[in-house]
């Protein structure tokens, strides 16, 4: 069920599309929902997506800074790279879709767990409490040597003498096993999954969506362009427009 444009405008304001009405009906008959989000969700708040932007930081692509090798070679520059990224996020605001999700997930109608590939913390800033960050968080760091967590982002070194690094998953690293297990559980236990702002092609995180599809859990895709193979329904449109209507 795919429509090129889920919105028909009356006087400039979007009205309920067939797809949105269908998903509202599906939501009414379930209690547990997992929401799987990706870079597109944050991009609507003006946060650059990590891949394929073409932008450089100090002459190198962001992907080149987000590696264990870069940290070993130039730890101070990697630190500055993450301070720059935190600055972008601090200036950004959660959009209407974030806020609708935050309000809905903290209400009584459903048990909602968010599984996100984003590291910016915008879901938490907009009121979501059960958030599993598959790729870690910009807002915490830990010791490269002993693994001790450190919440003070101004600090550069652990009491043990080791360097602190951002608690994000770098290219070439595995996902944190505890968060992965909780994400898998949240997806498996859900009766409906909303996939928002991601084509779900980056493994291993994307494997969670495939797993849920194989288990027969209905998957609703919300993307500006349909990108998933395994959706039950696709609502085409930006999350900032769709979610306030869908979750109202
Ligand atoms: Zn340490």
């Amino acid at each position: 069920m795919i429509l090129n444009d889920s919105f028909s405008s009356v006087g400039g304001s979007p009205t309920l599309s067939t797809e949105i009405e269908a998903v509202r009906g599906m939501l009414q008959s379930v209690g547990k929902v997992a929401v799987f989000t990706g870079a597109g969700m944050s991009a609507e708040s003006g946060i650059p997506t990590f891949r394929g932007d073409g932008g450089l930081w100090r002459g190198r692509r962001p992907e080149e800074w987000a590696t264990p090798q870069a940290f070993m070679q130039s730890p101070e520059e990697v630190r500055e790279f993450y301070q720059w990224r935190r600055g972008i996020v601090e200036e950004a605001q959660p959009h209407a879709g974030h806020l609708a999700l935050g309000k809905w997930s903290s209400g009584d109608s459903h048990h909602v767990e968010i599984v996100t590939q984003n590291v910016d913390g915008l879901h938490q800033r907009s009121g979501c409490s059960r958030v599993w960050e598959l790729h870690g968080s910009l807002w915490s760091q830990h010791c490269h040597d002993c693994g001790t967590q450190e919440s003070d982002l101004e600090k550069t070194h652990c009491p043990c003498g080791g360097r602190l690094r951002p608690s994000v998953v770098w290219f070439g690293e595995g996902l944190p096993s505890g968060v992965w297990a909780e994400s898998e559980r949240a997806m498996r236990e859900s009766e409906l999954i909303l996939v928002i702002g991601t084509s779900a092609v980056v493994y291993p995180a994307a494997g969670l969506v495939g797993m849920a599809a194989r288990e027969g859990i209905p998957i609703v895709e919300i993307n500006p362009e349909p990108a998933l193979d395994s959706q039950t329904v696709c609502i085409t449109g930006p999350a900032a427009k769709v979610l306030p209507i869908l979750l109202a």
Side-chain angles (χ1 to χ4, degrees):
M1 203 167 20
I2 294 170
L3 223 74
N4 282 332
D5 183 3
S6 289
F7 296 99
S8 51
S9 283
V10 178
S13 62
T15 55
L16 281 183
S17 73
T18 312
E19 285 73 24
I20 290 179
E21 283 188 87
V23 176
R24 281 170 68 98
M26 291 163 76
L27 282 170
Q28 277 171 9
S29 63
V30 300
K32 286 188 169 183
V33 180
V35 181
F36 186 87
T37 66
M41 185 82 182
S42 295
E44 289 182 41
S45 280
I47 294 172
T49 58
F50 208 38
R51 290 161 194 269
D53 279 335
L56 301 178
W57 188 80
R58 296 201 182 160
R60 291 166 75 179
R61 289 181 295 122
E63 294 94 314
E64 294 178 59
W65 291 109
T67 65
Q69 291 77 14
F71 181 74
M72 297 305 284
Q73 286 162 10
S74 328
E76 197 48 45
E77 278 195 289
V78 169
R79 179 180 164 73
E80 288 171 25
F81 169 69
Y82 280 94
Q83 284 171 328
W84 169 71
R85 291 191 58 195
R86 289 183 189 116
I88 293 173
V89 174
E90 274 175 338
E91 286 181 19
Q93 295 298 325
H95 56 68
H98 282 117
L99 298 176
L101 190 55
K103 188 177 174 200
W104 175 68
S105 70
S106 54
D108 296 331
S109 65
H110 295 82
H111 176 87
V112 181
E113 296 192 51
I114 316 280
V115 177
T116 187
Q117 300 170 89
N118 300 334
V119 296
D120 49 48
L122 284 179
H123 287 306
Q124 291 93 327
R125 263 170 73 184
S126 40
C128 298
S129 54
R130 290 177 289 267
V131 182
W132 303 107
E133 295 175 305
L134 281 170
H135 295 168
S137 171
L138 285 176
W139 305 105
S140 60
Q141 48 180 359
H142 64 270
C143 175
H144 177 69
D145 292 348
C146 74
T148 300
Q149 290 284 331
E150 172 59 62
S151 56
D152 185 347
L153 298 173
E154 297 301 317
K155 290 191 178 163
T156 59
H157 286 80
C158 175
C160 84
R163 269 197 178 269
L164 295 169
R165 55 158 286 177
S167 298
V168 297
V169 178
W170 281 333
F171 290 94
E173 293 185 317
L175 304 192
S177 58
V179 172
W180 174 265
E182 292 289 358
S183 300
E184 195 174 8
R185 176 201 50 73
M187 300 282 277
R188 215 182 270 276
E189 287 178 359
S190 66
E191 299 160 275
L192 179 74
I193 294 172
L194 304 178
V195 176
I196 306 173
T198 176
S199 52
V201 292
V202 179
Y203 278 83
L208 289 172
V209 176
M211 172 208 76
R214 284 192 299 278
E215 299 208 350
I217 301 169
I219 293 172
V220 173
E221 174 184 3
I222 300 169
N223 268 327
E225 303 284 342
L228 260 66
D229 298 331
S230 54
Q231 20 75 342
T232 309
V233 183
C234 179
I235 302 174
T236 52
K241 272 188 170 180
V242 172
L243 293 179
I245 302 170
L246 180 67
L247 305 177

